Every structure is written in C-alpha cells, then in structure tokens.
Amino acid sequence: MKVLIAGAGRLGTQIAQVLSAARNDVTLVERDDGRLSELDGMPQVRLLPGDASEPGLLARAGTRTADVLIAATGRDEDNLVISLLAKQRFGVARVAARVNDAENAWLFDRRWGVDVAVPAATPLVSLIEEATGTTDTVALLRLSKAGVEVIETAITAESRAAGRALGEISLPAGTVIATVVRDGRPTVPGPEVRLRPGDELLLVSHEATEQEIHAAFQ
C-alpha cells in the first residue's frame, strides 16, 4: 500500500513508522526543515520537505498514485485543504484527516474530500485502522505472511532498562523498535539512544508476546 502522510508531528511520525514497519510504501511530508532534520535517518520512510497544501508538492510526492493520504498536521485549515486537493485534484481513493479542534468537526466531510475524520484523541492503532480502511489490526500490520503486533511500553524510574542504551537491550526474536517518544516527540531509535524515565516505546513484533517484550524493559 502506498501511503502519503502530511505532517511530521508526533502523530504523523508514529503512523509513518508503524506503516513502514509493515512494509508499506510511506512518504512523510513536513514543511519545518528543523523537524525533518530531527527525523533524518528514519528507516524505510521517505522524508519530503515542503507544504502539503501546495499542489506542486503533492504532485512531487506521488499523490496521484497513492492509495491513502493522511492529513495529520496540527492545523485544521491545512488538513482540509490537503484533503480537498488529494481527493479532487489527484483522485486519492481514501483520504483521512485529523480534527484538532472539535468545533471544526462538521467541516470534515466529503465536501472537503474527507472520507474519514479522526479526532486528535483517537488511539494510534484505531486511527491507522480508520485511515487505511482496515478493521483487522493483525491484517494491517503484516510482515510477509506472518501476523505482527504493535506493542507499547513505558519506561519508569523502576524499569530495568532506565539509563541503558537501546543497543544494550536484548530484544525477543522478531522484534524491532519503531520509535521512542520522549517529551512528546518521537525520535529515531538508534542503538546509542539511552532510555530515560518517561520514555514511551512503540515496538513491532511477529514472534514475541506482549509479556516477553515488557520483560525486556521492565
């Protein structure tokens, strides 16, 4: 599946990492060069600088051949413009848009090209299911033909992984770390990243149980 995501905030980045881990073709568009620099080196995700509300940028991003577009910026007006362009100009089959302000929810409908309007507080996996039209999370997150699971774990002061670098932690077989969220911002999970209390980890696994993954960190 070819997915275009507009907005590289916490939400857009997490969606990109989960979908790319499931071997989808993912492009993440962000107009803040500083934010893109923070994400440089994100595996399996194409990072594209620019404003997704500009038709020329959407054309360069390959919107015309995208299966799904997710407008996940922090501005409702931008998400509406991006959605309308994606649907009306580029014919994207499925367009999902994040609703940041509940008072604007009535605008997010097919008149603006929005197939799925998703409130900002929607849990990550539910949002991905809604955006992609997949109702079975296991079917969505599939590596080759093996079902995978997305598992979250949080680091506390009592966690055995607190203060340790990711490269020092033995993960269960078939498990990869998709992202580390620190102070509300996702980071690229390189082996040198040292975990701190308050960090949240998003992992993808096709072999380990949730208990085995938690045991590696807690």
Side-chain angles (χ1 to χ4, degrees):
M1 181 169 60
K2 183 174 181 178
V3 182
L4 176 63
I5 302 169
R10 174 181 178 179
L11 181 64
T13 303
Q14 287 184 328
I15 295 171
Q17 289 173 317
V18 171
L19 290 178
S20 65
R23 295 190 178 177
N24 293 289
D25 180 352
V26 179
T27 297
L28 182 59
V29 179
E30 173 58 50
R31 61 183 175 184
D32 184 342
D33 291 338
R35 176 62 180 151
L36 283 181
S37 296
E38 294 176 5
L39 299 176
D40 187 39
M42 182 188 298
Q44 301 177 329
V45 176
R46 178 191 178 200
L47 299 176
L48 185 63
D51 187 345
S53 61
E54 298 179 356
L57 186 282
L58 289 177
R60 293 196 300 276
T63 306
R64 197 170 300 280
T65 57
D67 299 298
V68 177
L69 180 139
I70 302 173
T73 79
R75 293 166 55 91
D76 285 343
E77 55 267 41
D78 288 346
N79 289 341
L80 287 170
V81 170
I82 293 166
S83 297
L84 185 62
L85 286 170
K87 181 66 71 174
Q88 298 295 333
R89 185 154 183 170
F90 295 96
V92 178
R94 191 168 184 84
V95 176
R98 177 186 185 183
V99 182
N100 296 282
D101 186 341
E103 293 185 358
N104 296 329
W106 65 277
L107 290 166
F108 286 73
D109 58 22
R110 294 184 182 275
R111 293 172 299 174
W112 280 93
V114 178
D115 296 305
V116 180
V118 186
T122 302
L124 176 63
V125 173
S126 296
L127 188 153
I128 293 173
E129 291 175 347
E130 289 285 340
T132 59
T134 304
T135 57
D136 181 354
T137 302
V138 174
L140 166 67
L141 300 172
R142 192 171 294 277
L143 296 173
S144 297
K145 293 185 178 180
V148 305
E149 289 192 45
V150 178
I151 299 171
E152 296 182 71
T153 190
I155 304 301
T156 68
E158 291 74 34
S159 298
R160 58 186 294 190
R164 298 175 63 189
L166 291 178
E168 299 172 356
I169 298 172
S170 297
L171 295 175
T175 302
V176 296
I177 301 173
T179 188
V180 177
V181 180
R182 177 171 294 166
D183 298 326
R185 302 179 71 88
T187 61
V188 177
E192 74 286 349
V193 172
R194 197 165 294 277
L195 294 174
R196 306 173 186 170
D199 287 349
E200 299 176 9
L201 286 79
L202 187 69
L203 302 98
V204 178
S205 181
H206 66 88
E207 291 186 28
T209 65
E210 183 174 350
Q211 291 73 21
E212 289 173 327
I213 289 178
H214 285 315
F217 294 92
Q218 306 303 332

